[in-house]
Amino acid sequence: MKSITRRSFGRGLFAALAASALRPAALHAQTHPALIAREGTLQLAPANYPQTQVWGYNGAVPGPTIRLPQGSRMTRRFENELPQPSTIHWHGIRIDNAMDGVPGLTQDVVQPGESFLYDFVVPDAGTYWYHPHNRSYEQMARGLSGALVVEEADGGPEVDSDEVLLIDDWRLAEDAQIAGGFGNMHDWAHAGRVGNWITVNGNGDWRTSVQRHSRHRLRLVNTANARIFSLEAQGLAGWIVALDGMPLDAPQPLGRLTLAPAQRADIIVDVTAGVGEEALLVSFERDGGYAIASFDVSGVARSERLGAPLPLAPNPVPQLGRLETARTAELLMEGGAMGRMSGAMMGGQRMGMREMSGAGKVWAFNGMADMPDAPLVAADRGETVQIDIINDTVWPHAMHLHGHHFRQIASDGTAGPLRDTLLMDRGETAQIAFVADNPGDWLLHCHMLEHSAGGMMTWLRVV
Ligand code: C2O
Ligand code: CU
C-alpha cells in the first residue's frame, strides 16, 4: 500500500505539528428534541494550539447526527442563540415546502432568542444533512451543520459499521480561531472561501479501528463552503452505492471520487490493508495527497472479502416523463473574476460590475443579480421540467435544487443518477430534468456559499 504522509493544509500553517498525530477528543453529540444554534469550543487544530470558538448545533461540530427510519417524522425545535438571525435547511430532503428553511421564500428568519418548530416526514432513505440558510457563508464557515440519516426500511446492506463522515474545510488564523472576512469580495468573485484546515467530523486526525476484510458503509458529506474534494481510498476497496442520498441502480466500483460542496456519496468498502497497516481516505489537492481519515487495522474479521453488495432499494421518486413535452427553461450563469459579464440587473436597475460588487453582487443568473421576483419556471404539479444550464464563467459551480432530485441528461439522451447538487465545470453546459411533484417555491442556487450570496440564486414554483 502506498503510504501518504500526513501533512497539514495551507502554506505551512500547522506544518510543524503535522506529524504529531495528536488528536482532539471526539465530540459525542447526542440526539436531542431541540437543536440549539449556539457558540461552542472545539479542539479543531492540533492539541498544542488553542481551542477554536465555533458555532454549532447544540454547541457541537458537527451537530448531532439525526437518524430516523424512512417514512417517519423529523421533529426538532430550532432555537437560535446566535447573535444573528438563522434558519435550518434540510438539504436533499423532498420536504414539505414550509419546512425548507429558506428565509424570505418559505419562512421568516428566526431571530436571536426565538425558535421555530421543524416537523416533516422523510420520504427517502439515504444520507442528508442540515445547515443554516441565512448568511450561510458565515454561519457554515463557523461550524453549523450536521447529518440527517434516513435508514432504509429493509435495514439496508449488511455492514460491520455505518459511519457518517462530514468533511469540512476551515479557514483558521494563526491562533486557530476562525478567520474573519466573510464578506470578502475577492473570495466571492473567485472560488469562494476555501480554507487551510480540513476536518472529518470536526477532527483534524479522524481515525477509527477496523479489521482486515471488515465491511463499512461510509456516508461522505462535503460540508465545506466552497472546496471541491477529490478523494481516493487506499487499503479500502469497494463501491459507491448512493449519491446525494439516492441509491444508484447498480453499485459502481470506487475509484477517484469528486465531491462538490453539499454533495454526498455513500460508499461500501472492505478493508484490504493488512493487520498493523493503516487504510486511508485521501484528499488530493494541487500539491499532493493528504490523509483525512485513517482506519487502523487490528485483527481479521473474516478470511476473505465478502461478495459485491446488492443495490440499495430505490426511493419513491417519480419516473421522468417525456422530455419532448417537458416544460423547459434556460439558466445562464455569468460573472465572477475573469468572466465576460459587464453588468446585470439589480433592484430593477442595470448596474456595471463595479457598482454591483460595491453592492455585494458579482454573479448573475439570466442577467439578474438579485433574487428575481418571478420564478425561473412555474410548473404544474407532476410536470416534467427540463432546465438547460450554461456555465458561462471560468469557475466551477455546484448547482443545488431544493425539494426535488433531478437527473442530468447526457447529449445522447441518457439520464444520469438522481442528484440534488450538480458540479459544473467552467464553460460547461448541462441539462437537468425532474418531475416537479412537490408544490411550493424552491431555490435553485450555487452551493459555493459565497457565489449564491453574490448573486447565483433563483427559484422555481410548483403549483
Ligand atoms: Cu444545502 Cu440551499 O442548500
Ligand atoms: Cu458557484
Side-chain angles (χ1 to χ4, degrees):
M1 188 183 77
K2 195 170 133 223
S3 80
I4 289 221
T5 324
R6 185 176 300 284
R7 284 182 289 162
S8 63
F9 283 85
R11 303 198 163 75
L13 182 63
F14 299 120
L17 304 137
S20 65
L22 290 168
R23 56 183 183 276
L27 277 175
H28 292 291
Q30 45 183 243
T31 308
H32 190 274
L35 273 179
I36 307 168
R38 59 176 170 80
E39 287 183 5
T41 325
L42 175 70
Q43 190 65 46
L44 202 59
N48 48 342
Y49 273 83
Q51 294 198 318
T52 306
Q53 298 298 126
V54 296
W55 291 358
Y57 291 109
N58 299 352
V61 172
T65 294
I66 301 173
R67 280 191 182 258
L68 293 166
Q70 183 173 9
S72 66
R73 254 166 98 170
M74 196 321 299
T75 308
R76 290 289 183 287
R77 177 164 293 281
F78 168 55
E79 295 173 21
N80 185 6
E81 293 183 5
L82 303 174
Q84 52 183 240
S86 193
T87 60
I88 301 183
H89 170 57
W90 309 87
H91 185 117
I93 301 289
R94 296 189 300 131
I95 202 171
D96 173 5
N97 191 243
M99 297 289 124
D100 199 40
V102 180
L105 195 66
T106 70
Q107 69 168 97
D108 291 332
V109 285
V110 181
Q111 296 292 344
E114 295 191 340
S115 70
F116 184 91
L117 184 67
Y118 288 101
D119 181 5
F120 54 87
V121 171
V122 288
D124 302 316
T127 303
Y128 305 94
W129 63 301
Y130 59 95
H131 64 74
H133 221 294
N134 190 52
R135 288 183 70 84
S136 47
Y137 58 90
E138 173 178 0
Q139 296 185 5
M140 287 165 71
R142 292 186 182 277
L144 285 161
S145 63
L148 172 53
V149 172
V150 182
E151 312 266 11
E152 285 86 14
D154 64 2
E158 265 199 50
V159 290
D160 298 307
S161 82
D162 176 334
E163 314 243 22
V164 181
L165 273 60
L166 293 140
I167 308 171
D168 207 351
D169 163 47
W170 305 78
R171 189 180 289 178
L172 299 182
E174 292 291 338
D175 60 357
Q177 299 311 304
I178 292 165
F182 299 106
N184 168 348
M185 280 301 132
H186 183 275
D187 286 345
W188 287 33
H190 291 75
R193 181 180 167 104
V194 176
N196 53 11
W197 187 242
I198 290 182
T199 60
V200 166
N201 297 342
N203 189 331
D205 184 22
W206 188 92
R207 56 181 61 232
T208 188
S209 128
V210 296
Q211 293 185 303
R212 181 164 162 81
H213 295 153
S214 56
R215 172 164 285 186
H216 307 275
R217 178 178 188 165
L218 306 178
R219 300 169 182 268
L220 311 178
V221 187
N222 181 351
T223 64
N225 277 37
R227 184 185 289 269
I228 301 166
F229 287 96
S230 181
L231 304 170
E232 232 176 73
Q234 298 194 352
L236 302 169
W239 301 265
I240 303 171
V241 295
L243 291 170
D244 295 350
M246 294 293 169
L248 298 182
D249 295 339
Q252 187 188 306
L254 176 65
R256 183 70 72 94
L257 173 66
T258 301
L259 214 55
Q263 289 185 326
R264 287 89 66 211
D266 284 46
I267 62 175
I268 290 184
V269 289
D270 298 331
V271 177
T272 53
V275 175
E277 291 184 332
E278 199 182 43
L280 300 171
L281 187 64
V282 178
S283 171
F284 285 88
E285 303 297 325
R286 261 176 229 153
D287 56 347
Y290 298 82
I292 61 169
S294 312
F295 304 80
D296 300 310
V297 187
S298 58
V300 177
R302 46 188 73 87
S303 59
E304 36 185 282
R305 283 182 67 183
L306 297 170
L310 294 172
L312 303 176
N315 281 319
V317 179
Q319 297 285 328
L320 283 181
R322 292 179 37 151
L323 295 179
E324 293 74 14
T325 54
R327 189 177 289 268
T328 57
E330 193 175 279
L331 182 64
L332 175 65
M333 306 157 71
E334 293 178 290
M338 295 169 280
R340 52 182 164 188
M341 184 171 83
S342 58
M345 294 299 286
M346 268 190 77
Q349 280 191 321
R350 172 99 194 156
M351 289 200 186
M353 276 298 260
R354 189 161 307 145
E355 275 176 295
M356 279 176 64
S357 81
K361 300 286 173 185
V362 278
W363 305 92
F365 277 173
N366 290 349
M368 306 263 290
D370 286 333
M371 252 293 260
D373 293 333
L376 175 72
V377 193
D380 294 331
R381 189 175 184 178
E383 237 181 341
T384 293
V385 174
Q386 179 187 313
I387 306 178
D388 292 1
I389 310 177
I390 302 137
N391 179 5
D392 189 16
T393 80
V394 302
W395 302 94
H397 301 287
M399 295 299 292
H400 170 48
L401 174 63
H402 284 215
H404 300 79
H405 275 68
F406 53 80
R407 294 181 191 272
Q408 184 174 5
I409 309 297
S411 49
D412 66 0
T414 53
L418 286 165
R419 300 218 69 148
D420 63 42
T421 306
L422 177 71
L423 178 62
M424 292 184 66
D425 265 331
R426 55 185 290 172
E428 188 184 342
T429 292
Q431 241 173 39
I432 63 168
F434 61 96
V435 180
D437 66 332
N438 197 355
D441 292 344
W442 304 104
L443 280 188
L444 172 62
H445 65 91
C446 178
H447 219 286
M448 277 105 173
L449 304 172
E450 292 71 27
H451 293 177
S452 56
M456 298 199 119
M457 193 177 284
T458 186
W459 61 288
L460 280 64
R461 173 164 285 169
V462 181
V463 283

